[in-house]
Amino acid sequence: MNIIVIGGSAAGPKAAARARRINPKAEITIIQKEPHLSMASCGYPYYVGGFFDDRNQLISTPTGVVRDPAFFMKAKGITALTQTEATEIDTKNQVVTATSLEDGSVRQFPYDRLIIATGARPKMPPIPGITLEGITTLQSLKDADYLRAIRDQRSIRKAVVVGGGLIGVETAEALHLAGIEVVIVEMLPHILSFLNPQLASLVEQHLRSKGADVILDNGVQEFLGDSNKLRAVKLSNGTELSAELAVIAVGVQPNVDLARRAGIRIGDLGGIVVDQYMKTSIKNVFAVGDCIEVHNRLTGKPVLAPYGDLANLQGRVAGEHAATETAKANQPLPSFPGTVQTGICKVFDFIAGSTGLTFDNAKAAGFNPICVVASGPDKPGFMKGLPLISYMVADRDSRRILGFQCVGTGDVSKQVAQAAVAIQGGLTVDDMTNLDLPYAPPFSLAIDNGIGVSHVLQNKMNNLFTGICAEELYNRVQAQEELFILDVRGPDEFEQMRLGIGERLIPLGALRNRLSELPQDKNSEIITFCKISLRGYEAARILQGEGYTNIKVLEGGILAWPYCREK
Amino acid sequence: MNIIVIGGSAAGPKAAARARRINPKAEITIIQKEPHLSMASCGYPYYVGGFFDDRNQLISTPTGVVRDPAFFMKAKGITALTQTEATEIDTKNQVVTATSLEDGSVRQFPYDRLIIATGARPKMPPIPGITLEGITTLQSLKDADYLRAIRDQRSIRKAVVVGGGLIGVETAEALHLAGIEVVIVEMLPHILSFLNPQLASLVEQHLRSKGADVILDNGVQEFLGDSNKLRAVKLSNGTELSAELAVIAVGVQPNVDLARRAGIRIGDLGGIVVDQYMKTSIKNVFAVGDCIEVHNRLTGKPVLAPYGDLANLQGRVAGEHAATETAKANQPLPSFPGTVQTGICKVFDFIAGSTGLTFDNAKAAGFNPICVVASGPDKPGFMKGLPLISYMVADRDSRRILGFQCVGTGDVSKQVAQAAVAIQGGLTVDDMTNLDLPYAPPFSLAIDNGIGVSHVLQNKMNNLFTGICAEELYNRVQAQEELFILDVRGPDEFEQMRLGIGERLIPLGALRNRLSELPQDKNSEIITFCKISLRGYEAARILQGEGYTNIKVLEGGILAWPYCREK
C-alpha cells in the first residue's frame, strides 16, 4: 500500500507516523515544500522572545535528534522529501506530481491513499508599501530566524504589529522582550476578538501596563519607506508610527489551490471539506490541519480552526484510516468530532483563554443564552492566590454550558481546560456547581474558581440576583444618569482604590444598620459591588430582603472593571 | 424560620451563609464547639511549613477581616456561638440543647430546620504511650499553633509521622521545611494508599531524595518516653526511631455521637446517611461535611470523603434546601450528586493527584477494567517541560474512563482536574483522544499529556500493543527469568542512565537494520522501552510487523520505573 502525504509541518507527519504504526508494511512518503520537517511552529514566538536559544529544539525530538529525512527514514520508515512541491493531483489515476525545488526534476507518486496537509499561509493585505524591507510575518522558521537575528543584533528600536489576534499578541510580547518598543494596531474595537470585550479590555490594560501600546479601531493605510526600507506605518486615521519593523499578523488562509485544481470540494470558508474520518469529497483522499474546515461541535457549522493541537488529532485519525486496508469490525472506527474552538495565549504575566461560544455567537447559533462575568483568586490568599476574571455562557433552556473564558495572572490554563472538558461532556451549569475537583491549598480554593463561576451563573439563572456589566454601568455613568452606586467593601479598601464613578461606601457589615442612607423608594435602582462582587451579591440579597425591587450587582466587581480606577 | 447549624468549621458556615442568601429573613444560628469559626484547616500544614506567617489568614476573609461572631452577625446576619457544644437533639420537638464551654450554662434552641456539620476527629490508635508529651495530630488550629511554635523555636530535631496518607505526607513536608528530620511510618506497603502502587513508589522515591525517610509495611508498637516526654518510637519490627515529636495521621472518623443519640440513621461506614439533598433519615434534619457518608458516583456505594471542597458544595445544597419554605417549581432543585474521590497533594517538588477508581476498585465494583501507565513532559522541552507519570483506568465494555492518577513535578493539577471532569461527564477513552483543550507552548504539549495518555490506553484497548508493568518486569528479572529486554533509546541516553536489568541497546533508528541481533524465534518474548516508551511502542510495532508475536512494551518507560536505576 502506497500512502502519500502532502505537507510536512504538523498534521502531515502525525498522519504519516500514525499510518506507520497502524500498518508496518505500507510505503509512506511525505512531500514537503519547505526545507524542514515537523517544525514546532507554535514555539516561534518563544524563540524570538528568548525563552530559549537553541533553534534546533524547534525541529528536534525531545531527546535532541533533528527530525530530518534521515530521522524519518531510520526511526519511522517514512520517506520524507523536503524542498519538494506537489504540483498536481490526478485523483482518477491516483497519482501526485511533484517538483524538486532544488534541481527542478519532476516525479510522479502513485498512491492508494493520499493525505493532504498543505496548511495555511499568512494573509497579506494589499496595503501600499507592504513589500518594503522590514515587513514580515511570523509563520515560517525563516521568519523566526529573521526576527531572532534582530533580537540578537539589537538592531531595531521600534516595531508595529499589525493585528491583535493570538499570533499578534504573542509576537508583540516576543519583540518587547527583545528590547523593541512595540505598538499593536488592531482594526476591530478590541484585540483577541474571540474574547468577550470586557475581558479583552483587561488584557489591553495589562499590555499597556507592560509598556506595549495598543491602538484599536484603526487599520494600516500605508507602509512608508526610505530606500526601500520601512520607516513608518501610516494608520487609517492619519497617525504615523515610526517603525523599522512591522509584523503582519492578520490571520491565515488555507492553502487549497492544489486540492481545488484536483476537483476536491472546497467549502464556503475556503477550506477543504472533510467528514469526521477526515475524508474529502474524493475517494481515498484525506485532508487534515490548517487547510481544512472543521466542524464546530456546538453550532454544527464549519469553521476555520488552524491550531496545532487539532492538526495532530486530525492527523492521528486520518493516518489510521488511510493505513487500514479493511474496516475492523470489533472496535469503534476512529473519528474526529470537531472543535469547540479552545485557545489560550500568554500575554506577559497575563494569560487569556477561551473555549466554546460567546453570548453573541450562541445567540447567532440559535441558543437562548445567558452569561456572567465573575472574578476571584485562583488559590487562597495565604498561598498567594492570583486573580482570575472569568466569563461563562450557558443556554437558559437546556442549562448546558456553552462557553467559558478566563483572563488573569492566575492558573487560567487549568480553568479553561476543565471548562473545555465540561462543554465537550455536555455538562449543565448545575452539574458544574457540584464538580469534584482536585483541591489542596497550593492548587485551588476550597471552592474551585471555575465552580465558583458556575455558582454565580446558577444564582443569576435562578433569579437570585440581577447583574449589570461594567460597560453598561460605565456608559450610564458617562451619560450622567442618576444612579445609586454602592461599594460595600471596607474603608481601608476604599482608601486604597475605588472606581471613582460617584459610588457611595457602606461596608457590608454596616449595611443592615445604615439602610436609612439609601434611597427610601424601594423601586430605586441601586448597584452594588465590592472587589469581586461576592459581598456585592450579599448586599443585594440583604436589600432585596428589605423589599428593594431593583438591585443590580456589578458583575466581577473591581477586579473585572476595565476602565480607569482612582488610586 | 429558625435554622440551627451545629458545627462552624467548613460545611456548617457555608450552609448558614447559603441559607442566609436564599432566605434573608430566617433566624440562623451556628453552634460551634471550638473557639474559632470557618478555619481554613487544609492550610494548617502550610502554616506549619512556613509558607506564610500570619496565622490570622487561616481565620480571615480574603480582605483580612477575622471571621469571628461579630463578623458573622454584621456581614451575614448570622448568630455564631463559639465554645458552645450541642449536647442533645430532640427531633420530635425540634429542639437542640447546647452547653457553653465557658460558663457551663445550658440553652435550648428550637429549630424549623437543623443542619448537622459536626465534622470528624483524628483516629487515635490505642498504642501504649500515645498520651506522652510530644505526640499530636494536625487537625485543629491548636495543633497547628503547637507545631508552628516548634518550627519557630527550632526546639525539635527529629520527628516521626505516623501514617502516610494525604495529611501525613503534607505534615512531613511541613516538618521537614521546619528543619526537622522526618520519618514517615506507614502500615501498608505504600504511602498515599489511594494511588496505584507504582505511582506511590515514585512519590516515596521523591520523598527520600528530599531527605524525608519512609518506612513501609510497619506499624508503631509503642511510644517510648522519658519523664512523660516522647523519646523514641518503637516499630512493630522492633526498630526504635529516636524522636521528640510524633504526629498521628492515620485518618479521621465522623463525629456522629450526637446524631446517633438523636436516632438519626448512621451508615455502615460510621457516617450519617443522607440523600442527594443532604437530608438525613429524620424530617427537617440535614447533615453535611466530614460527618456524613457520600455517594460514590462510579460505584453507587457510600464512602467516607472528608474533603474541604466537598464540604462546601454539600453546605451550599443543604443551606438552600433548609432555607427554602416551599419548593420552587420552575427551577431544578439543587442536589449533590456525590463524589468521584478526587484529591491532590503537594509532596515537596512532586504533586500527586487522583480521581475516580483504580483498577482494583473498578473490578470490585463490577466493571471490566483495563489500565495503563504512561509518562511524558507537560510542556515542550524548549519551554522546560516537566515530567508527569499518569495512570488511566477505563471500562473495556463501555469504554468509559473510570479513573486517572498523575504524579510528577509537572502540571498535575490541570491533568487531574480535566480528567475529573471527563469522568464526571461520562466521557469514553475515545472521546478523550479527541478533546479540544487549550494549547500553547507555555502551557501544554501540542498533544496534551492527558490526551496522550488516552491515546496510549486506546492503543492498548485496540490491541496495538501489549503492556507490561514495571512491577511484573522487575519481579521476573529478580526471578532470573530469561527475557530479552530492549532499550531503544540513543547511545548517549544509555550512557547517562539505564535500568540495569540486563537490557540490550538497539536505538530505534537502527532497529530495522539490526533485526539479526534479536532472538530469531518469532515467538520469543521481547520487552521494549525507552525514556517514556513512545519509541518503545514504535519498536514494538516494527517487530510485530516483522512477525514477532510476543512483544511487550514497558509501560511508562524509564520515567515511570520506581526501582533503582544505574547511572
Side-chain angles (χ1 to χ4, degrees):
Chain A
M1 176 188 263
N2 262 324
I3 300 175
I4 302 292
V5 177
I6 303 176
S9 177
K14 178 68 191 180
R18 180 68 176 171
R20 162 59 67 236
R21 289 170 206 154
I22 294 293
N23 187 336
K25 294 294 183 192
E27 294 283 327
I28 303 176
T29 305
I30 297 174
I31 298 174
Q32 161 76 329
K33 194 170 159 185
E34 293 195 54
H36 301 286
L37 289 156
S38 282
M39 305 84 79
S41 55
C42 299
Y44 295 165
Y46 306 96
Y47 175 57
V48 173
F51 287 81
F52 60 100
D53 298 318
D54 178 7
R55 167 189 185 274
N56 266 355
Q57 289 195 271
L58 292 164
I59 48 170
S60 302
T61 69
T63 52
V65 180
V66 173
R67 290 183 291 250
D68 58 13
F71 163 79
F72 270 90
M73 180 46 72
K74 282 169 64 184
K76 312 259 179 195
I78 292 170
T79 303
L81 306 169
T82 55
Q83 303 203 62
T84 303
E85 184 174 6
T87 53
E88 203 198 322
I89 303 168
D90 175 349
T91 59
K92 198 171 157 213
N93 297 306
Q94 302 202 154
V95 175
V96 173
T97 305
T99 304
S100 163
L101 301 179
E102 289 176 304
D103 61 18
S105 61
V106 175
R107 277 177 64 189
Q108 296 211 314
F109 299 87
Y111 66 81
D112 297 297
R113 305 282 161 80
L114 172 66
I115 299 171
I116 300 175
T118 42
R121 62 182 178 278
K123 285 185 194 162
M124 292 299 271
I127 300 169
I130 199 162
T131 56
L132 287 170
E133 197 182 312
I135 301 177
T136 182
T137 58
L138 180 44
Q139 163 81 0
S140 66
L141 189 50
K142 205 173 136 196
D143 295 336
D145 287 338
Y146 172 76
L147 290 172
R148 174 70 193 218
I150 287 172
R151 174 194 167 92
D152 292 340
Q153 293 156 16
R154 309 236 157 241
S155 54
I156 293 275
R157 271 189 41 245
K158 291 185 172 191
V160 167
V161 173
V162 181
L166 282 173
I167 305 288
V169 167
E170 287 176 349
T171 304
E173 179 179 355
L175 297 177
H176 182 90
L177 293 173
I180 297 169
E181 226 175 90
V182 185
V183 182
I184 298 176
V185 177
E186 170 60 54
M187 288 232 315
L188 298 171
H190 286 290
I191 62 164
L192 299 175
S193 61
F194 57 90
L195 284 182
N196 158 291
Q198 184 173 351
L199 270 55
S201 292
L202 294 166
V203 180
E204 288 152 17
Q205 271 191 354
H206 182 73
L207 272 164
R208 290 189 181 111
S209 78
K210 289 289 172 176
D213 201 7
V214 181
I215 296 178
L216 300 168
D217 264 327
N218 222 320
V220 174
Q221 194 182 108
E222 190 177 354
F223 294 103
L224 307 173
D226 278 339
S227 351
N228 205 37
K229 278 190 177 169
L230 181 68
R231 170 179 62 78
V233 178
K234 187 176 178 185
L235 304 186
S236 310
N237 68 354
T239 309
E240 276 189 29
L241 304 169
S242 71
E244 306 136 272
L245 175 69
V247 182
I248 313 289
V250 296
V252 297
Q253 63 189 96
N255 288 321
V256 298
D257 298 346
L258 184 65
R260 194 193 299 273
R261 288 202 310 271
I264 293 164
R265 189 175 156 212
I266 309 299
D268 292 341
L269 303 173
I272 299 172
V273 174
V274 295
D275 67 9
Q276 72 268 40
Y277 308 117
M278 314 317 295
K279 289 180 178 163
T280 68
S281 60
I282 302 269
K283 191 158 187 265
N284 292 327
V285 181
F286 300 77
V288 289
D290 294 359
C291 62
I292 67 165
E293 294 183 0
V294 183
H295 173 78
N296 183 305
R297 295 175 69 169
L298 293 165
T299 65
K301 300 230 169 83
V303 290
L304 294 177
Y307 299 116
D309 56 339
L310 300 183
N312 274 283
L313 302 181
Q314 294 157 6
R316 187 171 181 269
V317 169
E320 179 151 355
H321 278 277
T324 303
E325 308 265 357
T326 50
K328 282 173 264 176
N330 288 330
Q331 57 208 39
L333 277 173
S335 65
F336 179 73
T339 180
V340 293
Q341 296 191 280
T342 310
I344 191 166
C345 86
K346 179 178 178 312
V347 190
F348 294 93
D349 304 334
F350 244 52
I351 307 164
S354 173
T355 181
L357 305 176
T358 59
F359 181 91
D360 290 345
N361 292 340
K363 201 160 184 184
F367 291 101
N368 179 14
I370 180 170
C371 65
V372 83
V373 169
S375 54
D378 62 347
K379 291 183 284 188
F382 58 80
M383 296 307 281
K384 302 181 179 57
L386 296 170
L388 298 173
I389 299 97
S390 301
Y391 166 72
M392 189 179 276
V393 183
D395 183 44
R396 284 178 195 269
D397 304 328
S398 66
R399 299 179 77 91
R400 266 191 67 179
I401 302 169
L402 298 175
F404 179 81
Q405 305 191 334
C406 187
V407 304
T409 51
D411 191 355
V412 169
S413 172
K414 186 182 77 167
Q415 291 301 328
V416 175
Q418 68 194 22
V421 182
I423 291 171
Q424 286 164 92
L427 268 64
T428 64
V429 174
D430 310 299
D431 293 333
M432 182 117 184
T433 63
N434 280 313
L435 279 182
D436 184 0
L437 293 176
Y439 162 57
F443 310 106
S444 85
L445 299 176
I447 298 177
D448 169 80
N449 198 278
I451 294 178
V453 177
S454 74
H455 288 179
V456 178
L457 184 52
Q458 189 190 50
N459 289 339
K460 188 173 177 179
M461 292 172 84
N462 292 355
N463 301 311
L464 285 174
F465 78 94
T466 303
I468 181 169
C469 73
E471 188 184 4
E472 184 186 340
L473 178 58
Y474 183 77
N475 288 340
R476 291 178 62 188
V477 168
Q478 294 300 100
Q480 306 201 308
E481 274 192 46
E482 194 134 328
L483 290 168
F484 194 94
I485 306 174
L486 184 61
D487 184 342
V488 297
R489 294 176 303 152
D492 293 355
E493 294 172 88
F494 191 73
E495 280 313 304
Q496 277 168 31
M497 193 203 330
R498 67 190 74 165
L499 297 186
I501 53 172
E503 66 267 38
R504 180 77 179 268
L505 180 75
I506 304 181
L508 179 66
L511 184 60
R512 286 184 178 80
N513 294 325
R514 289 173 61 181
L515 293 171
S516 63
E517 299 174 32
L518 299 176
Q520 294 306 300
D521 175 355
K522 294 293 170 80
N523 295 320
S524 310
E525 185 174 7
I526 300 178
I527 289 151
T528 63
F529 71 93
C530 63
K531 187 177 175 194
I532 62 172
S533 278
L534 175 57
R535 283 170 289 170
Y537 164 55
E538 291 190 311
R541 295 300 298 163
I542 290 171
L543 297 181
Q544 286 165 340
E546 295 296 331
Y548 282 89
T549 60
N550 193 12
I551 309 294
K552 289 177 180 153
V553 180
L554 174 61
E555 293 186 6
I558 294 177
L559 257 187
W561 184 255
Y563 308 101
C564 281
R565 291 164 244 200
E566 288 182 5
K567 214 25 236 190
Chain B
M1 176 186 263
N2 262 324
I3 300 174
I4 303 292
V5 177
I6 304 176
S9 178
K14 177 69 192 180
R18 179 68 176 171
R20 164 57 66 234
R21 289 170 207 155
I22 294 293
N23 188 336
K25 294 294 183 192
E27 293 285 328
I28 303 175
T29 304
I30 297 175
I31 298 174
Q32 161 76 328
K33 193 172 161 185
E34 293 194 54
H36 302 285
L37 290 156
S38 282
M39 306 85 79
S41 56
C42 299
Y44 295 165
Y46 306 96
Y47 176 57
V48 173
F51 286 82
F52 60 100
D53 298 318
D54 178 7
R55 166 191 185 274
N56 266 356
Q57 290 195 270
L58 291 165
I59 49 172
S60 302
T61 69
T63 52
V65 180
V66 173
R67 290 182 291 250
D68 58 14
F71 163 78
F72 270 90
M73 179 47 70
K74 283 168 62 183
K76 312 256 178 197
I78 292 170
T79 304
L81 306 169
T82 56
Q83 302 203 64
T84 303
E85 184 174 6
T87 53
E88 201 198 323
I89 304 168
D90 176 348
T91 60
K92 199 171 155 215
N93 297 306
Q94 300 203 155
V95 175
V96 172
T97 305
T99 304
S100 163
L101 300 180
E102 288 175 304
D103 61 17
S105 62
V106 175
R107 276 178 66 189
Q108 295 208 314
F109 299 86
Y111 66 81
D112 297 296
R113 304 284 161 79
L114 173 66
I115 299 171
I116 301 175
T118 43
R121 62 181 178 279
K123 286 186 194 160
M124 292 299 272
I127 299 168
I130 198 161
T131 57
L132 287 170
E133 196 182 314
I135 301 178
T136 184
T137 58
L138 181 43
Q139 164 81 359
S140 66
L141 189 50
K142 207 173 134 196
D143 296 337
D145 288 338
Y146 173 77
L147 291 172
R148 174 69 193 219
I150 286 172
R151 173 194 166 91
D152 292 340
Q153 293 155 15
R154 309 237 157 240
S155 55
I156 293 278
R157 270 189 42 245
K158 289 186 172 191
V160 167
V161 173
V162 181
L166 281 172
I167 306 288
V169 167
E170 288 177 349
T171 305
E173 179 179 356
L175 297 177
H176 182 89
L177 292 174
I180 297 168
E181 226 174 273
V182 185
V183 182
I184 298 175
V185 177
E186 169 61 53
M187 291 239 302
L188 297 172
H190 287 291
I191 62 164
L192 299 175
S193 61
F194 56 90
L195 284 182
N196 158 292
Q198 183 174 351
L199 269 55
S201 292
L202 293 166
V203 179
E204 289 153 16
Q205 271 190 354
H206 182 72
L207 272 164
R208 291 189 181 111
S209 78
K210 289 288 172 176
D213 201 7
V214 182
I215 296 178
L216 300 168
D217 264 326
N218 221 319
V220 175
Q221 195 182 108
E222 190 177 353
F223 294 103
L224 307 174
D226 276 342
S227 355
N228 206 36
K229 278 191 178 170
L230 182 68
R231 169 178 61 77
V233 178
K234 187 175 177 187
L235 305 185
S236 310
N237 68 356
T239 309
E240 276 189 29
L241 304 170
S242 71
E244 306 136 271
L245 174 70
V247 182
I248 312 289
V250 297
V252 297
Q253 61 188 97
N255 288 323
V256 297
D257 297 347
L258 183 65
R260 194 194 300 273
R261 288 203 309 273
I264 292 164
R265 188 174 159 213
I266 310 297
D268 292 341
L269 303 173
I272 299 172
V273 174
V274 294
D275 67 8
Q276 72 268 39
Y277 308 117
M278 315 317 295
K279 290 181 178 162
T280 69
S281 60
I282 303 270
K283 192 160 186 265
N284 291 328
V285 181
F286 298 78
V288 288
D290 294 0
C291 62
I292 67 165
E293 294 183 0
V294 183
H295 172 79
N296 182 305
R297 296 176 70 170
L298 293 165
T299 66
K301 300 229 169 84
V303 290
L304 295 176
Y307 299 115
D309 56 337
L310 299 184
N312 274 283
L313 302 182
Q314 294 156 8
R316 186 171 182 269
V317 169
E320 178 152 357
H321 278 275
T324 303
E325 309 264 357
T326 50
K328 283 172 262 173
N330 288 330
Q331 57 208 41
L333 277 172
S335 66
F336 179 72
T339 180
V340 295
Q341 297 190 280
T342 309
I344 190 165
C345 85
K346 178 178 177 312
V347 190
F348 295 92
D349 305 334
F350 244 52
I351 307 165
S354 173
T355 181
L357 305 176
T358 59
F359 181 92
D360 290 345
N361 292 340
K363 201 160 184 181
F367 292 101
N368 179 13
I370 179 169
C371 66
V372 83
V373 169
S375 53
D378 62 348
K379 291 183 282 187
F382 58 79
M383 297 306 282
K384 302 184 179 54
L386 295 169
L388 298 172
I389 300 97
S390 303
Y391 166 72
M392 189 179 275
V393 182
D395 181 45
R396 285 177 194 270
D397 304 329
S398 67
R399 298 179 77 90
R400 265 192 67 182
I401 302 170
L402 298 174
F404 179 81
Q405 306 191 332
C406 186
V407 303
T409 52
D411 191 354
V412 169
S413 173
K414 185 182 78 166
Q415 290 302 327
V416 175
Q418 68 194 23
V421 182
I423 290 170
Q424 286 164 93
L427 268 65
T428 64
V429 173
D430 309 299
D431 293 332
M432 181 116 185
T433 62
N434 280 314
L435 280 182
D436 184 0
L437 293 175
Y439 162 58
F443 309 106
S444 84
L445 299 177
I447 297 177
D448 169 80
N449 199 278
I451 294 179
V453 177
S454 74
H455 288 178
V456 177
L457 184 53
Q458 188 191 50
N459 289 340
K460 189 173 176 179
M461 292 171 85
N462 292 356
N463 300 311
L464 284 174
F465 78 92
T466 303
I468 182 168
C469 74
E471 188 183 6
E472 183 186 342
L473 178 57
Y474 183 76
N475 288 340
R476 291 177 63 187
V477 168
Q478 294 302 100
Q480 308 204 305
E481 274 192 47
E482 194 134 329
L483 290 168
F484 194 94
I485 306 174
L486 184 61
D487 184 344
V488 297
R489 295 176 302 152
D492 293 355
E493 295 172 86
F494 191 73
E495 279 313 304
Q496 277 167 32
M497 194 205 325
R498 65 189 77 165
L499 297 186
I501 53 172
E503 68 267 37
R504 180 75 179 272
L505 179 75
I506 303 181
L508 179 66
L511 184 59
R512 287 182 177 83
N513 293 326
R514 288 172 61 181
L515 294 171
S516 63
E517 298 174 33
L518 298 177
Q520 293 307 298
D521 175 356
K522 295 292 172 79
N523 296 319
S524 310
E525 185 173 8
I526 300 178
I527 290 151
T528 63
F529 72 93
C530 63
K531 187 176 174 192
I532 61 172
S533 279
L534 175 57
R535 284 171 288 172
Y537 164 55
E538 292 191 309
R541 294 300 298 163
I542 291 171
L543 297 181
Q544 287 165 339
E546 295 296 330
Y548 281 90
T549 60
N550 194 12
I551 308 295
K552 289 176 181 155
V553 180
L554 175 62
E555 292 186 5
I558 293 176
L559 258 187
W561 184 255
Y563 309 101
C564 281
R565 291 164 244 200
E566 288 183 4
K567 218 286 319 173

